[in-house]
Each structure stands twice: as structure tokens, then as C-alpha cells.
Amino acid sequence: MSQLDPTPKAIPLGKSGILVSPIAWGMWRFAGVGVAEGRALIEAAFEAGVTLFDTADIYGFDGAGGFGDAEVLLGRIFAGSPGLRARMVLSTKGGILPPLPYDSSPAYLAKALDASLTRLGVEQVDLYQIHRPDILTHPQEAARALEDMVTAGKVRAVGVSNYTPAQAQALASFLTIPLVSHQPEFSPLHLEPLENGLFDQAMERDMAVLAWSPLGGGRLGVPADARSAGVAAALDRKAAETGASRAATAYSWIMAHPVRAIPIVGTQNPARIAELAQAFAITWTRQDWYDVLIAARGEPLP
């Protein structure tokens, strides 16, 4: 039986020409800590082999305030640690504007990008993604905004987050540059990208897939229902073969799919960040991988 082996080797970020780690570290909870603590978390991610770091202008917002706080903290870390920025592939996102809630107009996205660059204290980000689709912006207008960012040298590559395959196709049809990434929610407890054609589109168009909430919003850590408990049990059976953690096994399961999805890990615990390397010690047979999928579906495959 063939085996599916996640690899620690760098992989392409779609058609961008940029190589990234097969696991990313996300900053949606990267706020409210000091510069020294934040720097320690980043160093822990580097030590675990991470080169792709994902943030957004909305990260840090708690419903009342804090818009931009995660970017501000990262900018302070960059300011105090010259050379740190050059060690990472930096991704950020824009287009969510509470309480509007979404705006992908060229004027707003240009303003949002400039604000992100200012908070980060950098002149360029490697990847800029529209965070959520704005249904009141024509995809041709959004495409113009993204192309202008690249032409201005402020962004190296562009992508989308939380887009359907049809929305991504519409946007890509108006672009003269590659749409290099999808960023959907994906985990054994959220299979939609596997079922709605997003993974198929990504493989067809050579787009990277950045999977947010790879542990099902924490439900794989502390199962709250029969389905999550079943998935946790299936992961634990596989984890026992190598002594890996359940979390690392879930990341490995995500990476074993041929789309080579990149889990975005959000833990703020250095010890848990160190566990990321365990994901590459796991070898999946087709049977093992499908066992987790069947537990995730809660019913046999047809």
C-alpha cells in the first residue's frame, strides 16, 4: 500500500516563486503580550522550522477595539530586532472593516495595505490576501486593487481568504498576475474545502492552501461531542505509533493530502510550537488517512 509522507522541506507558495515552510504560524491571538514574549514565540516558531508567518489587520480586535494590535506588536518586535523580518515570509490580510463589515474596493484596500505596512514598519509584505469576499465589489475592481499593490512594489504576491472556488475563479479571470493562495478553514472537523471543489481548484491552478483553525477551533483538543471525540480517537491511534501529540497528528493529516495544505498553527505556547516537528515523523497509509476522514464524516464513505 502506498504511503503519504508529509515533508519538512520548503514548498512553493503557489506560482509566487516564494518557498515556504509546510507549516505556518498564525497571529490571530498575537496581541496583549510584551515585545520580549512575542519575540520568544517567533523564535520558537523558527526553531520548529516555520518560515511562513500569517497575520491580518483585524487580528487583535475583540469586538470593541484592538484593530491592528497584532500587526503593531509584530512591528515593535521588528523595530527591536533588526534582521528578523528578513528571516520570514510575511503574510497579512485586509478587507474586514468592523462594523461595515467588508470592503474590497480599490480605495479601501490600498488604504488598508498602507496602514498595515505602517503598523508593521516594513515597506513590503510577501503575501497580501483579501480576508473575506466583499459581495458589493465587482471582482474586476478587486483585481485592479491587487495588481496595483504588486505594481507599486508593496506586495510580492496576492491571494484570497474565505473565498469559494467560484469567487476565486471570478477574481482570477480579471488578473494578469497569479492568484497564488486560498486560505480556508480546514480540519478533520471542517471538511468543506475538500468537498466544495476548493482543493481541486487549488491543484488545477497551482494555488497554495493555507488552512486556518486546523484543530477545529480547539475541539480536537477537548472534544465536546461524539463526532469530535471520534476524530480525536482516530488521531490518537495514529499518534501512538510515533509518540506524536494529537495536534501534530492532525497537522500531519492535513499535510498528507496531495494539495499539500499548510496548517496555520495559532498556539501561543512555546512548548506546543516545538511539537510541530513531530508532524513530519508520521507516515500515513491510505487506510490510516481514510480512517480519520470516515471518523470526521461520522459515516462510512459511499
Side-chain angles (χ1 to χ4, degrees):
M1 183 177 292
S2 60
Q3 296 179 333
L4 312 171
D5 300 323
T7 171
K9 295 180 181 179
I11 60 176
L13 184 68
K15 294 180 179 179
S16 67
I18 302 170
L19 292 177
V20 297
S21 55
I23 298 181
W25 190 62
M27 300 185 182
W28 60 87
R29 295 191 298 237
F30 190 65
V33 301
V35 169
E37 183 179 351
R39 169 70 187 269
L41 291 170
I42 290 172
E43 290 291 355
F46 281 135
E47 184 66 23
V50 172
T51 61
L52 177 57
F53 291 77
D54 175 76
T55 190
D57 56 11
I58 192 68
Y59 291 169
F61 185 75
D62 61 4
F67 188 91
D69 279 3
E71 289 182 330
V72 168
L73 175 57
L74 184 55
R76 289 174 179 165
I77 293 170
F78 287 157
S81 304
L84 189 66
R85 163 67 181 95
R87 296 170 60 191
M88 65 174 62
V89 176
L90 179 59
S91 170
T92 195
K93 299 179 287 295
I96 299 178
L97 183 63
L100 191 54
Y102 310 133
D103 192 342
S104 293
S105 64
Y108 177 72
L109 287 181
K111 179 181 176 181
L113 171 61
D114 285 344
S116 288
L117 295 175
T118 297
R119 286 188 290 264
L120 292 165
V122 301
E123 295 182 354
Q124 184 187 66
V125 293
D126 299 298
L127 175 65
Y128 191 84
Q129 297 178 114
I130 298 178
H131 203 154
R132 287 191 179 272
D134 170 20
I135 59 177
L136 294 181
T137 294
H138 193 288
Q140 185 174 28
E141 291 294 289
R144 178 164 62 86
L146 295 177
E147 293 203 340
D148 287 348
M149 295 174 181
V150 175
T151 299
K154 298 176 181 179
V155 171
R156 293 177 66 189
V158 296
V160 292
S161 176
N162 301 298
Y163 268 52
T164 67
Q167 289 167 334
Q169 174 61 33
L171 178 61
S173 72
F174 293 104
L175 285 168
T176 61
I177 58 176
L179 193 64
V180 307
S181 62
H182 264 297
Q183 186 162 321
E185 180 179 1
F186 180 67
S187 75
L189 295 179
H190 189 90
L191 300 172
E192 184 177 359
L194 192 64
E195 299 168 339
N196 70 357
L198 189 149
F199 276 13
D200 303 290
Q201 181 185 65
M203 290 185 287
E204 177 191 14
R205 300 183 65 88
D206 192 14
M207 297 173 69
V209 174
L210 314 180
W212 65 267
S213 200
L215 299 181
R219 289 176 294 151
L220 286 178
V222 184
D225 53 39
R227 178 167 172 256
S228 57
V231 173
L235 291 170
D236 286 345
R237 286 193 292 272
K238 187 63 182 175
E241 295 180 6
T242 60
S245 69
R246 183 188 301 164
T249 307
Y251 305 145
S252 182
W253 184 84
I254 289 169
M255 291 187 291
H257 187 280
V259 79
R260 295 303 186 195
I262 299 170
I264 305 176
V265 177
T267 180
Q268 303 293 291
N269 183 320
R272 292 182 181 270
I273 293 173
E275 291 178 359
L276 301 186
Q278 297 175 5
F280 304 112
I282 300 170
T283 296
W284 294 87
T285 66
R286 273 180 161 74
Q287 186 65 60
D288 293 336
W289 196 91
Y290 274 115
D291 284 346
V292 175
L293 179 63
I294 290 168
R297 286 168 48 88
E299 61 183 10
L301 290 166

